[in-house]
Amino acid sequence: MARVLLFGRLSDVAGWRDRQVESPFLSALRAKLSAEDAGLGEALAGPGVQVALDQVIVRGDAPLNAATEVAFLPPMSGG
């Protein structure tokens, strides 16, 4: 099971910050989270949301395993 972390408003929308989820691929994980919670699915699909696998930003799909840490990061602004 991959460890899934939500940060910022994403954790507020979901009502949780950290949980274990069984999924073989990142795309399947997104689909599973969206099916369980439509509001979270909408938030994850929003502009600027990034995904880090084991603390490395990724784009597109990727395989997951039991040791993978998946972090969904909301859009950030700097100044």
Side-chain angles (χ1 to χ4, degrees), residues 61-78:
D61 204 7
L64 306 176
N65 62 51
T68 304
E69 179 185 87
V70 182
F72 289 96
L73 310 167
M76 295 180 215
S77 62

Side-chain angles (χ1 to χ4, degrees), residues 3-23:
R3 179 179 184 200
V4 179
L5 303 172
L6 301 178
F7 291 93
R9 69 176 184 84
L10 300 174
S11 65
D12 293 339
V13 169
W16 55 271
R17 185 182 182 287
D18 182 347
R19 74 182 243 208
Q20 299 289 325
V21 180
E22 180 85 29
S23 184

Side-chain angles (χ1 to χ4, degrees), residues 24-51:
F25 290 95
L26 181 56
S27 59
L29 174 65
R30 282 181 178 266
K32 186 175 198 168
L33 294 175
S34 296
E36 291 175 0
D37 183 335
L40 177 58
E42 186 176 321
L44 293 176
V49 174
Q50 297 189 61
V51 180

